[in-house]
């Protein structure tokens, strides 16, 4: 029988939308039967959900009604007591024979004394009742726990009529433990004064856990033995070919089935639940303290998987003491082949046990790396240290150092391969953010043995110094310049030796990145990287001092030698500055600041990074030797200008035809220009600017003090000659700047004073601060200006 559709006006908007979406065309009618089935299924699910909700609502209403009845009973008791109290008050008033004052006094006594006392007594009784109820509840739960723990050992039950296996009993014990812990957590927050009750319960629970956990672990080990764990390691192949297929065949976790698989999963969940319960108890007991240190422990169930493999592996390790690369290869092979089963099989069990904050993949890798680190610390490193103590005929610990560095290389390579196993899951990022990278790093052995880190740094540094000494002895590294520019901005003209040092320093930094903690990285850089920078600085300083000692820097070759050292320091320092802007170095710098409180640390500028002190020394070295170059050129210029400056008569002579400039001054300028040309070719642009600016300041002082302040009388011809000489001077410096006069302020303003007409400067008495400002004289004092004006002789 075909039923007619109801009118459209009676349909809701949601129904119309549903029909429009599913029946857009006539072809959609063919899917009507399937759609009806789907709607019937969904309706059935909704009906079932409605029934569940009604059942839960009924239970909630019953609980609420029970709670309301109890509250009503309590209020009834209170009302009856208040009624009795009022009755006693009226009776007392009636017995006073009409004396109202006595009734009032009695009422005040009841309200002021007896009623508060009664309230306190009621509160005390209520507290005692709550304490008794809580103690009884906890005693019952602890009794259940102790009975369940006892039954897991004796294999019989005193309290339960039916016989169950030990696993079910353990789950009952864990359930009772959780209920007891919930009560204890509530009491700790609401009734902290009941500390003795909490301590007594904790004591009994601790005794139960001391029996329950070992028994659970023993049962877990028995199940692992039944599964065939650990697998036979002799069947392992170090080849990566067909590794997935081989691991699938050999992995007992994937091959278990039936009742054995059910028992293992139940036991695994129970062990995880027990660990989560222990974590909650520690969190409660350590409230207010540094809980994170003690709360996170390795996953017990994963430890039970790793421990037998570690024991079996060590039998192979003992044969490979001289071949540690086999040890690392085997550990990585085992870690990689079983890591997938941790995600696919065991992680769902951990989630079911509600053990928060744990990843089976992370725990598996961490436990395997930890077992390797323990073996390295106990067996391998002591052998390497004993080899270091064996000094050969030449007094060089070569073989021991080589073995040590090879071992470090293997550890770094192993850590990178292990980190690649977790990089795709995002765990590695979280480990780096939490500072727990040492959990998956074999280099964590240095966390417990910082003296080994110092020894590694010493060996690493000696090896690098041996290589750098050969680089420094090669003169080609000092004559060849680094090709290209830094950051596309400036060519530092640095010799290749600076690049050689940076390569070695960069290798040290790269090796430090493998260390799991910031403090270890910072210490390793301080012990290895900083000495490399200092050795580079000592080498540059020695070459500069040798050049100065041989020729006092009067020879062009000596100047070039110094310019190369300055260029190398500038380039090296610039690279270090760029490095120190990286977060990696900023973290180490902050750690160094916290450890070295005597050092004033700056967050801005050159104080960033761990190399800030060395960068400052490089800048000081550059300033010192740039000033030295300027001083050397200035001294040569000064020596050639002495006759020129001493010749005071030339400023009193009349101008001659064809003679515009002084020959001695031109010769001195020629010398200065020649030296500056050498420096301009050899020195980087920034430091060359420092040289010629410092030289300009020196020449300005020399000419001003020697000529303008030298009690010289300037006639018209002398002023003209001086102007011509200074024009040539400006021309020399004009090759390096657009307005050279600005770098010779005193002689420029002094010449302007000499050129002023007689009418503008009547006599020196007219000169004052205001007059100087009005005439643009800003670098001369009033006394200096008066002296220059007095020495001016006007012939016209």
């Amino acid at each position: 029988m075909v039923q007619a559709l109801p009118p459209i006006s009676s349909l809701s908007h949601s129904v119309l939308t549903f029909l429009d979406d599913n029946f857009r065309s006539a072809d959609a009618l063919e899917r009507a039967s399937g759609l009806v089935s789907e709607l019937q299924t969904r309706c059935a699910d909704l009906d079932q959900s409605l029934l569940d909700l009604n059942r839960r609502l009924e239970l909630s209403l019953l609980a609420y009604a029970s709670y309301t009845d109890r509250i009503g009973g309590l209020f009834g008791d209170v009302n009856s007591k208040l009624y009795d109290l009022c009755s006693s008050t009226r009776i007392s008033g009636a017995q006073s024979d009409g004396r109202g004052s006595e009734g009032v006094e009695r009422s005040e006594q009841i309200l002021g004394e007896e009623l508060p006392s009664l309230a306190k007594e009621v509160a005390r009784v209520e507290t005692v009742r709550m304490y008794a109820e809580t103690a009884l509840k906890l005693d019952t739960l602890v009794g259940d726990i102790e009975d369940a723990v006892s039954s897991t050992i004796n294999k019989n039950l005193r309290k339960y009529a039916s016989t169950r296996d030990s696993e079910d009993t353990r789950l009952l014990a864990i359930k009772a433990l959780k209920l007891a812990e919930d009560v204890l957590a509530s009491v700790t927050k609401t009734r902290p004064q009941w500390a003795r009750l909490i301590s007594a319960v904790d004591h009994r629970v601790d005794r139960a856990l001391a029996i329950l956990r070992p028994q659970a672990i023993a049962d877990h080990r028995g199940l692992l033995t039944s599964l065939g764990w650990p697998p036979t390691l002799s069947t392992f192949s170090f080849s990566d070919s067909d590794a997935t297929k081989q691991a699938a065949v050999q992995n007992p976790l994937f091959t278990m089935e039936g009742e054995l698989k059910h028992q293992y999963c139940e036991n695994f969940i129970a062990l995880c639940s027990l660990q989560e319960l222990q974590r909650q108890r520690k969190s409660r007991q350590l409230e207010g303290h540094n809980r994170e240190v003690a709360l996170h422990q390795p996953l017990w169930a994963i430890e039970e998987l790793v421990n037998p493999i570690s024991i079996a592996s060590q039998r192979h390790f003992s044969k490979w003491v001289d071949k540690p690369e086999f040890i690392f290869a085997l550990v990585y092979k085992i870690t990689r082949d079983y890591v997938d089963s941790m995600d696919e099989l065991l992680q769902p069990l951990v989630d079911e046990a509600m053990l928060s904050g744990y990843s089976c993949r992370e725990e598996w890798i961490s436990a395997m790396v930890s077992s390797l680190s323990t073996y390295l610390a106990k067996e391998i490193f002591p052998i390497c240290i004993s080899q270091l103590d064996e000094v050969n005929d030449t007094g060089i610990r070569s073989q021991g150092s080589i073995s040590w560095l090879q071992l470090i290389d293997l550890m770094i390579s192993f850590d990178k391969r292990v980190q690649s196993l977790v990089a795709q899951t995002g765990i590695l990022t979280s480990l780096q953010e939490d500072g727990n990278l040492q959990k998956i790093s074999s280099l964590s052995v240095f966390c417990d043995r910082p003296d080994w880190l110092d020894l590694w740094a010493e060996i690493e540094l000696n090896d690098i110094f041996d290589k750098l000494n050969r680089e420094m002895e090669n003169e080609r590294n000092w004559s060849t310049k680094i090709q290209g520019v830094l950051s596309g901005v400036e060519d530092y003209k640095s010799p290749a030796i600076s690049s050689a040092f940076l390569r070695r320093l960069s290798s040290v930094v790269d090796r430090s990145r493998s260390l799991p903690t910031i403090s270890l990285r910072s210490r390793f850089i301080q012990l290895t990287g900083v000495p490399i920078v200092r050795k580079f600085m000592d080498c540059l300083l020695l070459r500069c001092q040798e050049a100065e000692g041989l020729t006092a820097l009067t020879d062009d070759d000596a100047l070039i030698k110094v310019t190369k050292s300055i260029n190398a320091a500038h380039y090296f320092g610039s690279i270090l500055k760029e490095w120190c802007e990286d977060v990696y170095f900023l973290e180490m710098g902050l750690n160094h600041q916290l450890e070295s409180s005597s050092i004033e640390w700056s967050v801005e500028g050159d104080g960033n990074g761990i190399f800030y002190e060395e960068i400052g020394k490089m800048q000081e070295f550059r300033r010192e030797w740039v000033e030295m170059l300027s001083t050397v050129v200035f001294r040569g210029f000064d020596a050639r200008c002495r006759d020129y400056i001493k010749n005071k008569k030339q400023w009193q002579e009349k101008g001659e035809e064809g003679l515009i400039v002084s020959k001695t001054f031109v010769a001195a300028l020629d010398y200065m220009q020649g030296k500056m040309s050498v420096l301009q070719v050899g020195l980087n642009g920034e430091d060359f600017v420092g040289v010629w600016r410092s030289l300009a300041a020196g020449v300005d002082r020399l000419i001003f003090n020697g000529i303008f302040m030298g009690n010289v009388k300037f006639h018209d011809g002398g002023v003209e000659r001086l102007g011509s000489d200074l024009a040539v001077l400006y021309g020399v410096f004009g090759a390096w700047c657009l307005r050279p006069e600005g770098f010779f302020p005193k002689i420029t303003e002094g010449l302007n004073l000499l050129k002023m007409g007689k009418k503008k400067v009547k006599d020196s008495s007219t000169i004052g601060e205001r007059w100087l400002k009005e005439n643009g004289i800003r670098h001369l004092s009033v006394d200096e200006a008066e002296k220059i004006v007095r020495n001016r002789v006007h012939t016209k």
Side-chain angles (χ1 to χ4, degrees):
M1 180 177 180
V2 179
Q3 296 180 356
L5 290 174
I8 296 178
S9 59
S10 64
L11 298 178
S12 64
H13 178 71
S14 59
V15 172
L16 292 175
T17 303
F18 176 80
L19 293 175
D20 290 339
D21 292 340
N22 290 276
F23 298 99
R24 294 182 178 274
S25 62
D27 297 336
L29 293 175
E30 299 177 358
R31 297 186 292 105
S33 58
L35 184 60
V36 170
S37 300
E38 180 183 353
L39 289 175
Q40 289 175 347
T41 302
R42 291 170 61 183
C43 288
D45 294 338
L46 291 174
D47 290 338
Q48 184 62 39
S49 300
L50 183 59
L51 290 175
D52 294 339
L53 290 174
N54 287 329
R55 189 178 301 109
R56 290 170 58 187
L57 180 60
E58 181 181 357
L59 294 175
S60 299
L61 290 175
L62 290 174
Y64 178 76
S66 175
Y67 177 74
T68 305
D69 292 340
R70 285 191 295 162
I71 295 298
L74 293 176
F75 275 115
D77 293 340
V78 172
N79 287 330
S80 64
K81 291 180 180 179
L82 290 176
Y83 178 78
D84 294 340
L85 182 62
C86 291
S87 299
S88 64
T89 303
R90 286 195 298 269
I91 293 172
S92 299
Q95 291 176 352
S96 63
D97 296 331
R99 288 173 293 181
S101 60
E102 293 182 4
V104 172
E105 291 177 358
R106 177 59 179 164
S107 299
E108 291 178 351
Q109 181 182 3
I110 292 174
L111 294 175
E113 298 178 7
E114 296 181 7
L115 186 59
S117 177
L118 178 62
K120 290 181 181 179
E121 183 66 18
V122 170
R124 188 186 68 80
V125 172
E126 179 67 15
T127 302
V128 171
R129 183 188 64 79
M130 291 180 60
Y131 184 88
E133 289 181 355
T134 304
L136 180 62
K137 184 176 183 180
L138 287 173
D139 184 67
T140 303
L141 291 173
V142 174
D144 293 342
I145 295 168
E146 292 173 343
D147 288 344
V149 170
S150 177
S151 66
T152 58
I153 300 174
N154 300 325
K155 303 298 182 182
N156 55 19
L157 296 176
R158 294 186 291 104
K159 186 175 180 180
Y160 303 99
S162 61
T163 302
R164 304 175 182 176
D165 57 15
S166 60
E167 194 63 44
D168 292 336
T169 308
R170 184 178 298 115
L171 292 177
L172 291 175
I174 293 174
K175 183 178 180 180
L177 281 167
K178 289 181 178 180
L179 293 175
E181 181 57 31
D182 291 340
V183 175
L184 288 174
S186 176
V187 172
T188 301
K189 293 179 179 179
T190 59
R191 302 284 181 175
Q193 65 272 22
W194 295 354
R196 292 186 178 181
L197 174 63
I198 297 173
S199 177
V201 175
D202 276 339
H203 179 67
R204 293 179 63 182
V205 171
D206 286 337
R207 287 191 304 177
L209 286 175
I211 301 173
L212 187 61
R213 178 187 172 186
Q215 185 64 37
I217 291 177
D219 291 346
H220 192 79
R221 290 174 180 173
L223 285 172
L224 288 176
T225 303
S226 302
L227 292 175
W229 190 274
T232 303
L233 301 182
S234 59
T235 60
F236 273 84
S237 172
F238 295 117
S239 173
D240 291 338
S241 61
D242 206 17
T244 304
K245 180 178 179 181
Q246 182 183 3
V249 173
Q250 293 181 350
N251 192 345
L253 298 178
F254 280 140
T255 57
M256 63 179 179
E257 57 186 9
E259 183 63 23
L260 187 59
K261 181 177 181 179
H262 176 72
Q263 290 180 1
Y264 175 79
C265 292
E266 290 293 328
N267 187 271
F268 188 96
I269 293 174
L271 202 57
C272 291
S273 300
L274 199 60
Q275 185 168 1
E276 173 62 15
L277 178 65
Q278 183 72 5
R279 188 193 67 81
Q280 292 177 0
R281 298 186 73 249
K282 288 294 182 182
S283 177
R284 171 177 56 82
Q285 294 169 353
L286 296 174
E287 186 70 34
H289 299 80
N290 188 8
R291 297 184 297 171
E292 296 302 326
V293 176
L295 289 184
H296 192 91
Q297 296 180 350
L299 198 58
W300 297 344
I302 299 298
E303 281 189 324
E304 296 306 317
L305 289 174
V306 173
N307 288 337
I309 285 185
S310 177
I311 295 173
S313 300
Q314 289 182 14
R315 290 195 285 271
H316 296 275
F317 293 168
S318 60
K319 305 174 185 178
W320 299 334
V321 174
D322 297 333
K323 297 289 185 180
E325 59 270 19
F326 292 163
I327 297 176
F328 289 95
L330 179 59
V331 174
Y332 175 75
K333 183 71 167 58
I334 297 173
T335 305
R336 184 196 62 188
D337 288 348
Y338 290 94
V339 72
D340 291 336
S341 62
M342 303 298 144
D343 285 338
E344 298 175 13
L345 179 63
L346 301 185
Q347 186 62 45
L349 302 179
V350 172
D351 297 337
E352 183 178 348
M354 301 181 69
L355 185 56
S356 59
Y358 282 93
S359 165
C360 285
R361 172 183 284 260
E362 176 188 340
E363 294 298 324
W364 166 257
I365 295 174
S366 174
M368 290 298 298
V369 173
S370 178
S371 66
L372 172 63
S373 300
T374 302
Y375 184 81
L376 293 176
K378 290 183 177 179
E379 303 294 339
I380 304 300
F381 271 97
I383 295 176
C384 292
I385 293 175
S386 64
Q387 292 178 350
L388 291 174
D389 295 334
E390 298 175 0
V391 182
N392 58 20
D393 296 337
T394 60
I396 303 175
R397 299 180 297 180
S398 57
Q399 186 58 43
S401 299
I402 292 173
S403 300
W404 183 284
L405 294 178
Q406 288 177 346
L407 177 61
I408 297 297
D409 291 337
L410 289 172
M411 295 173 71
I412 293 175
S413 176
F414 173 81
D415 287 350
K416 290 180 179 179
R417 298 177 71 189
V418 166
Q419 291 173 7
S420 67
L421 293 178
V422 295
Q424 297 179 353
T425 63
I427 298 176
L428 182 61
T429 303
S430 65
L431 289 174
Q432 290 173 336
E433 293 175 352
D434 296 339
N436 292 325
L437 195 59
Q438 65 188 71
K439 295 171 59 177
I440 58 171
S441 173
S442 62
L443 291 171
S444 59
V445 295
F446 295 113
C447 296
D448 298 326
R449 294 301 302 265
D451 55 323
W452 289 356
L453 181 72
D454 297 349
L455 186 58
W456 172 25
E458 179 185 352
I459 296 171
E460 194 82 38
L461 189 61
N462 290 334
D463 180 68
I464 291 175
F465 279 174
D466 291 340
K467 297 174 181 177
L468 286 176
N469 287 333
R470 293 192 292 269
E471 298 275 3
M472 290 187 296
E473 292 172 358
N474 187 357
E475 284 298 324
R476 291 187 59 187
N477 289 329
W478 294 97
S479 58
T480 305
K481 295 182 180 179
I482 297 177
Q483 301 296 325
V485 296
L486 182 67
S487 302
V489 176
E490 183 177 355
D491 184 2
Y492 288 91
K493 301 179 181 180
S494 177
I497 189 64
S498 58
S499 180
F501 269 85
L502 281 172
R503 284 198 305 271
R504 302 301 177 188
L505 182 59
S506 178
S507 67
V508 167
V509 173
D510 289 340
R511 290 170 81 79
S512 72
R513 293 180 186 273
S514 302
L515 290 167
T517 65
I518 296 176
S519 59
L520 289 180
R521 299 169 202 158
S522 176
R523 182 166 181 80
F524 185 75
I525 291 293
Q526 291 175 42
L527 294 175
T528 310
V530 172
I532 293 175
V533 180
R534 291 176 179 173
K535 183 176 182 63
F536 181 67
M537 286 298 304
D538 292 340
C539 178
L540 298 181
L541 180 61
L542 180 61
R543 288 181 65 86
C544 290
Q545 290 175 342
E546 288 177 351
E548 182 187 16
L550 292 175
T551 64
L553 300 183
T554 57
D555 185 65
D556 289 350
D557 292 337
L559 289 177
I560 294 174
K561 195 171 186 179
V562 173
T563 59
K564 290 179 179 179
S565 296
I566 295 174
N567 293 341
H570 196 178
Y571 176 74
F572 203 94
S574 300
I575 295 294
L576 289 185
K577 279 186 179 180
E578 288 191 357
W579 287 4
C580 290
E581 293 174 357
D582 189 82
V583 175
Y584 180 75
F585 285 92
L586 292 176
E587 290 177 341
M588 289 193 296
L590 180 59
N591 181 79
H592 182 60
Q593 174 193 5
L594 297 176
E595 293 179 352
S596 305
S597 57
S598 60
I599 298 177
E600 295 183 0
W601 196 266
S602 173
V603 182
E604 300 178 355
D606 296 338
N608 287 341
I610 199 171
F611 294 114
Y612 85 101
E613 187 176 353
E614 281 62 40
I615 293 174
K617 290 181 179 179
M618 286 188 180
Q619 292 175 341
E620 183 62 29
F621 169 82
R622 287 171 50 211
R623 285 193 293 267
E624 178 182 347
W625 284 96
V626 164
E627 187 65 30
M628 179 66 71
L629 293 177
S630 175
T631 301
V632 168
V633 177
F634 175 75
R635 286 174 181 173
F637 176 79
D638 183 19
R640 288 161 177 77
C641 281
R642 288 175 185 173
D643 294 338
Y644 172 74
I645 293 175
K646 290 179 179 179
N647 187 6
K648 299 180 181 180
K649 295 182 179 180
Q650 60 182 330
W651 314 118
Q652 302 172 11
E653 299 175 353
K654 296 181 180 181
E656 300 179 8
E657 294 292 337
L659 184 60
I660 302 176
V661 296
S662 303
K663 294 182 180 180
T664 55
F665 188 66
V666 171
L669 290 177
D670 183 64
Y671 163 81
M672 181 178 66
Q673 190 175 28
K675 292 297 181 181
M676 292 300 292
S677 298
V678 173
L679 295 179
Q680 186 177 13
V681 173
L683 199 59
N684 66 86
E686 182 177 341
D687 289 322
F688 177 73
V689 170
V691 171
W692 70 255
R693 285 189 175 184
S694 177
L695 179 61
V699 171
D700 186 50
R701 289 191 303 270
L702 174 67
I703 296 178
F704 182 79
N705 293 329
I707 297 179
F708 288 87
M709 296 286 104
N711 296 322
V712 178
K713 298 297 182 180
F714 291 93
H715 291 251
D716 294 340
V719 173
E720 183 179 355
R721 171 176 289 190
L722 181 60
S724 299
D725 292 344
L726 295 183
V728 177
L729 174 65
Y730 297 155
V732 172
F733 281 86
W736 309 313
C737 60
L738 295 176
R739 188 175 173 275
E741 296 87 349
F743 297 95
F744 300 91
K746 284 185 171 293
I747 61 176
T748 300
E749 292 180 357
L751 182 62
N752 290 338
L753 281 176
L754 293 176
K755 289 183 176 181
M756 286 184 181
K758 186 176 181 180
K759 294 181 179 179
K760 195 169 187 180
V761 185
K762 296 181 179 179
D763 55 58
S764 59
S765 61
T766 61
I767 297 177
E769 292 288 346
R770 183 176 180 181
W771 186 91
L772 292 177
K773 291 181 180 180
E774 290 176 352
N775 290 274
I777 308 299
R778 294 179 174 81
H779 297 86
L780 300 181
S781 64
V782 174
D783 293 338
E784 290 173 341
E786 288 178 350
K787 186 173 183 179
I788 293 174
V789 170
R790 285 197 302 268
N791 289 334
R792 180 66 167 96
V793 179
H794 295 278
T795 57
K796 297 181 181 179

